[in-house]
Amino acid sequence: MNRKADTATVSVGLGARAYDILIGPGLIVRAGAEIAARLPGTRAAVITDDNVASAHLPVLQESLGAVGIDSVTVQVRPGERSKSFETLQEAVDAILAARLERRDTIIALGGGVVGDLAGFVASIVRRGMNFVQVPTSLLAQVDSSVGGKTGINTAHGKNLVGAFHQPRLVLADTAALDTLPEREFRAGYAEVVKYGLINQPDFFAWLEQNWREVFSGGSARIEAIARSCRAKAETVERDERETGERALLNLGHTFGHALEAATGYDGARLVHGEGVAIGMALAHRFSARMNLASPDDAARVESHLRAVGLPTSPKDIAGDLPGADALLSYIAQDKKVSRGALTFILTRGIGQAFIAKDVPASEVHAFLKEFERP
Amino acid sequence: MNRKADTATVSVGLGARAYDILIGPGLIVRAGAEIAARLPGTRAAVITDDNVASAHLPVLQESLGAVGIDSVTVQVRPGERSKSFETLQEAVDAILAARLERRDTIIALGGGVVGDLAGFVASIVRRGMNFVQVPTSLLAQVDSSVGGKTGINTAHGKNLVGAFHQPRLVLADTAALDTLPEREFRAGYAEVVKYGLINQPDFFAWLEQNWREVFSGGSARIEAIARSCRAKAETVERDERETGERALLNLGHTFGHALEAATGYDGARLVHGEGVAIGMALAHRFSARMNLASPDDAARVESHLRAVGLPTSPKDIAGDLPGADALLSYIAQDKKVSRGALTFILTRGIGQAFIAKDVPASEVHAFLKEFERP
């Protein structure tokens, strides 16, 4: 197999479930060869959405066909609503109708929604098929395609039903990101920043210097994605099933999820990465307020997020927002609740995030009050 | 915790997922204490069916309440049809509506259908909750509650959607079997015989001597169930995800599943264990015919199955059956097909089963022809 010089490889060491993440331009073109080399004789089902299909499906199909991989395609509607029991069942039925076997492969071609859905399909059909991720959004390349979390939403909340199912291979085609709307790229970048904030202050400082090159593409983009994947992989290696430190990856997500819920998951008002950006800014401000970290660090985080054009406060969200009471109730509903106590990811400074259990709800409430509009 | 002298314990050694199977009378009464000792602070959802609920649910609920375990109950309709996407979604919604968390526990109270469904629910809600099996049928006690296979059926076949999810504890209350219809107990006994036939000729000989005591209850019943669980546990320990020898547990199942499909899963005509009994008899006869084993062994197997009142031939099934062509097509549809070749569990004699790959379809077809009715 030709491994181009501009491809970075991150190996995720999970014993029998170890796999590689390849990062670089042109990986969709090379997908067939990369898959055939690792899973000889496999057949495949490509799960994708209508938007991604028009941009990338023909290239992927040609790549699979060129190495003799038979494939069927399951196309779902774009957007979070496809993470449903209904779409899950449709996809499962299509895979079974195609008579794919345990050793065959589900390929997710798309962003986080497609990856989460397809991974869950792969985990439950015949109690587990091979799974390959071909993430086409920055968010999916640095976050959802790494680590094996899969799932769908229910009326009770997001990602409440799912499985841990590691991919056999992740192909992060950095050229595919050129077709993303800038707002979506920027939202994904929030998750890149997150890895710096969790435990890599040098990476955060590097991003402060190099973010323009990350946005414009080229080797800085590959490096940022590779460092993000490596950071996530290291965390997942130490705590695959989130019994401990993997929860650090939720930095910014508790506030962020509450804001997403409060805006009715209306992507026109707030997309996930933007919620995370606001959530990270709030986590740093709240940590400073609790005298855990310096306010200077919170200011530095806010300043970088603003520089790239990300929101940092609930006040940046257009339209009405519910008050502190409602936000707190969304937070309590979030699945990262343990025995009713509020658990947050807080920080002692940039690159020093930690899991704070038993955070007093009254403090969080008073803090959120400050962002209420008159 | 009081461990009564007449309780047998089988430990399933799966590293971090190790668990105990307790076998003896009165375990439903003790369930609360046994669960609380292993999962302190847990809340619970009991998944059961209407029939089992009327026999055992009040006792289980009282037992949970006595040790302070809060529980909700999800009651499904009895029978294979509850292994559906629809019932799965209903059960998942009920668990989420009750706000159960990751560390809470799904308890399966019932036979194989309830266990398979509840285990799958436990594996996917919040990407995995605790799971406790309280099997109330002999089949579930010796087979489906051990080993972590969970799942539902689809229009394409049985158990095609599911997960591997190990329980934290199995409580096999042998007194609960006293309430079973004799036909159901007998069908479950076929799976007990299976363990002898796979690799324990001494156990098969012991069953030939002691089967009456197993049927009537008491210590022989506990011993038979414990030896069966131990046999299954050892196989699962060596091959949790059925990449190899775990397939031996399918002895009798390839023919058996085809017969179940051919009778439209009509339990009035053929229940699973009866299909397995016929399947085991056929596997031994077919092995003899292929000159792999002595015809005397096949005769001995048939003789024991007949002695307990189990069927041993397709001709024992009431009503019309499709011919060899149709049966072969059901066999080819079975999920234990690898790359289109027919894989069977065959035998070199009692206690000497092995995985036979590339069994010629023509030989199977000719063999099945003999059982066609004129």
Side-chain angles (χ1 to χ4, degrees):
Chain A
M1 151 187 22
N2 287 316
R3 184 68 47 85
K4 290 207 188 153
D6 57 2
T7 301
T9 300
V10 173
S11 297
V12 185
L14 289 168
R17 296 185 306 292
Y19 61 94
D20 286 340
I21 304 167
L22 306 190
I23 301 148
L27 278 164
I28 298 179
V29 177
R30 282 159 52 199
E34 299 288 353
I35 293 167
R38 288 166 179 82
L39 301 166
T42 193
R43 293 192 297 148
V46 178
I47 300 184
T48 189
D49 71 31
D50 301 335
N51 294 344
V52 175
S54 58
H56 302 295
L57 183 59
V59 176
L60 178 60
Q61 284 174 328
E62 193 182 324
S63 168
L64 295 171
V67 295
I69 298 178
D70 274 349
S71 69
V72 295
T73 299
V74 179
Q75 223 163 300
V76 304
R77 278 168 302 173
E80 198 73 24
R81 288 206 184 142
S82 284
K83 285 177 64 174
S84 67
F85 259 111
E86 192 188 352
T87 309
L88 176 75
Q89 189 174 352
E90 285 166 9
V92 163
D93 282 340
I95 309 296
L96 290 171
R99 297 239 175 163
L100 293 192
E101 301 175 9
R102 249 185 224 180
R103 295 180 203 173
D104 293 325
T105 304
I106 305 291
I107 302 173
L109 175 69
V113 166
V114 162
D116 287 359
L117 173 71
F120 192 32
V121 169
S123 84
I124 66 175
V125 173
R126 299 173 186 275
R127 298 198 187 94
M129 298 175 62
N130 293 322
F131 179 44
V132 169
Q133 292 259 25
V134 185
T136 58
S137 73
L138 179 58
L139 180 66
Q141 292 190 357
V142 300
D143 180 26
S144 49
S145 74
V146 184
K149 280 193 182 176
T150 72
I152 58 174
N153 306 324
T154 79
H156 298 280
K158 288 178 75 174
N159 297 319
L160 289 178
V161 174
F164 288 91
H165 190 64
Q166 300 294 343
R168 300 290 300 265
L169 176 67
V170 179
L171 299 172
D173 188 332
T174 53
L177 305 183
D178 293 335
T179 62
L180 286 187
E182 175 149 356
R183 184 180 173 196
E184 200 182 324
F185 186 92
R186 200 188 287 131
Y189 180 81
E191 299 275 358
V192 175
V193 172
K194 186 185 75 175
Y195 297 109
L197 296 178
I198 290 173
N199 61 0
Q200 302 194 40
D202 59 324
F203 182 41
F204 181 75
W206 183 89
L207 288 169
E208 286 178 312
Q209 296 301 316
N210 296 285
W211 67 268
R212 284 177 191 79
E213 287 70 37
V214 175
F215 275 65
S216 62
S219 66
R221 180 185 286 175
I222 297 174
E223 181 167 351
I225 296 172
R227 286 188 75 161
S228 298
C229 289
R230 164 66 18 229
K232 180 153 187 185
E234 283 171 357
T235 305
V236 170
E237 282 164 11
R238 287 189 297 255
D239 179 21
E240 186 177 0
R241 294 199 163 237
E242 193 167 326
T243 54
E245 71 162 286
R246 182 166 178 166
L248 291 173
L249 297 173
N250 296 321
L251 175 62
H253 282 62
T254 304
F255 286 125
H257 283 165
L259 293 168
E260 283 184 86
T263 50
Y265 299 101
D266 176 356
R269 294 179 65 196
L270 187 76
V271 297
H272 176 70
E274 292 166 349
V276 171
I278 299 174
M280 293 190 299
L282 292 181
H284 280 76
R285 284 176 71 159
F286 184 67
S287 298
R289 188 198 170 101
M290 303 286 281
N291 292 317
L292 294 162
S294 154
D296 295 348
D297 281 339
R300 195 176 145 200
V301 170
E302 243 179 271
S303 160
H304 179 55
L305 293 172
R306 287 204 175 279
V308 307
L310 281 165
T312 59
S313 161
K315 292 181 177 166
D316 295 334
I317 301 171
D320 286 339
L321 267 191
D325 293 358
L327 288 179
L328 195 65
S329 131
Y330 284 120
I331 286 171
Q333 266 177 35
D334 198 76
K335 67 170 184 275
K336 286 156 218 84
V337 172
S338 181
R339 304 262 153 255
L342 289 185
T343 297
F344 271 82
I345 312 306
L346 297 181
T347 189
R348 298 193 177 87
I350 286 166
Q352 300 177 65
F354 67 99
I355 302 167
K357 293 179 179 171
D358 299 313
V359 173
S362 57
E363 293 281 354
V364 177
H365 187 265
F367 177 70
L368 288 172
K369 265 279 193 210
E370 295 171 22
F371 300 94
E372 284 185 359
R373 287 163 214 182
Chain B
M1 152 186 21
N2 286 317
R3 183 69 45 88
K4 289 205 186 154
D6 57 2
T7 301
T9 300
V10 173
S11 297
V12 185
L14 288 168
R17 296 184 306 292
Y19 60 95
D20 285 341
I21 304 167
L22 306 189
I23 301 149
L27 278 164
I28 298 179
V29 176
R30 283 159 52 199
E34 299 287 353
I35 292 168
R38 288 166 179 82
L39 301 166
T42 193
R43 292 192 297 146
V46 179
I47 300 184
T48 188
D49 71 31
D50 302 335
N51 294 344
V52 176
S54 58
H56 302 296
L57 183 61
V59 176
L60 178 61
Q61 284 175 328
E62 194 182 324
S63 168
L64 295 172
V67 295
I69 298 178
D70 274 349
S71 70
V72 295
T73 299
V74 179
Q75 222 162 301
V76 304
R77 277 167 302 173
E80 197 74 23
R81 289 208 183 141
S82 284
K83 285 176 65 174
S84 67
F85 259 111
E86 192 188 352
T87 309
L88 176 75
Q89 188 174 353
E90 285 167 10
V92 163
D93 281 340
I95 310 296
L96 290 172
R99 297 237 175 163
L100 293 191
E101 301 174 9
R102 251 186 223 179
R103 295 179 202 173
D104 293 326
T105 303
I106 305 291
I107 301 174
L109 175 70
V113 166
V114 162
D116 287 359
L117 173 72
F120 192 33
V121 169
S123 83
I124 65 174
V125 173
R126 297 173 188 277
R127 298 200 188 92
M129 298 176 61
N130 293 321
F131 179 44
V132 169
Q133 292 260 26
V134 185
T136 58
S137 74
L138 179 57
L139 179 65
Q141 293 190 356
V142 299
D143 181 25
S144 48
S145 73
V146 184
K149 279 192 183 178
T150 73
I152 58 173
N153 306 326
T154 79
H156 298 280
K158 288 178 73 174
N159 297 319
L160 289 179
V161 174
F164 287 92
H165 190 64
Q166 300 293 344
R168 300 290 299 264
L169 176 67
V170 179
L171 299 171
D173 188 332
T174 53
L177 305 183
D178 293 337
T179 61
L180 286 187
E182 177 149 355
R183 184 179 173 199
E184 201 182 326
F185 187 92
R186 202 187 287 131
Y189 180 80
E191 299 274 0
V192 175
V193 172
K194 186 186 74 176
Y195 296 110
L197 296 179
I198 290 173
N199 60 0
Q200 303 195 39
D202 59 323
F203 182 42
F204 182 75
W206 183 89
L207 289 169
E208 286 179 312
Q209 296 301 316
N210 296 284
W211 68 269
R212 284 177 192 80
E213 288 68 36
V214 175
F215 275 65
S216 62
S219 66
R221 179 185 287 177
I222 296 174
E223 182 168 349
I225 295 172
R227 287 189 74 162
S228 297
C229 289
R230 164 66 19 230
K232 180 153 186 182
E234 283 171 357
T235 305
V236 170
E237 283 163 11
R238 287 190 297 255
D239 179 22
E240 186 177 0
R241 296 203 160 230
E242 194 167 325
T243 54
E245 72 162 285
R246 183 166 179 165
L248 290 172
L249 297 172
N250 296 321
L251 175 62
H253 282 61
T254 304
F255 285 124
H257 283 164
L259 292 168
E260 284 184 86
T263 51
Y265 299 101
D266 176 357
R269 294 179 66 197
L270 188 75
V271 298
H272 176 70
E274 292 167 349
V276 170
I278 299 175
M280 293 190 299
L282 293 181
H284 280 76
R285 284 177 70 162
F286 184 66
S287 298
R289 187 199 171 98
M290 301 286 282
N291 291 317
L292 294 162
S294 155
D296 296 348
D297 281 340
R300 193 175 148 203
V301 171
E302 242 179 274
S303 161
H304 179 56
L305 293 172
R306 288 204 175 278
V308 307
L310 281 165
T312 58
S313 161
K315 292 180 177 168
D316 295 335
I317 301 170
D320 286 339
L321 267 191
D325 293 357
L327 289 178
L328 195 65
S329 128
Y330 284 120
I331 287 171
Q333 267 178 34
D334 198 76
K335 67 171 185 275
K336 286 157 218 83
V337 172
S338 181
R339 304 261 153 255
L342 289 185
T343 296
F344 271 83
I345 311 306
L346 297 181
T347 189
R348 299 193 177 85
I350 286 167
Q352 300 177 64
F354 68 99
I355 301 167
K357 292 179 176 168
D358 300 312
V359 174
S362 57
E363 293 281 354
V364 178
H365 186 266
F367 177 70
L368 289 171
K369 264 280 194 210
E370 294 172 21
F371 300 96
E372 284 185 358
R373 287 163 215 182

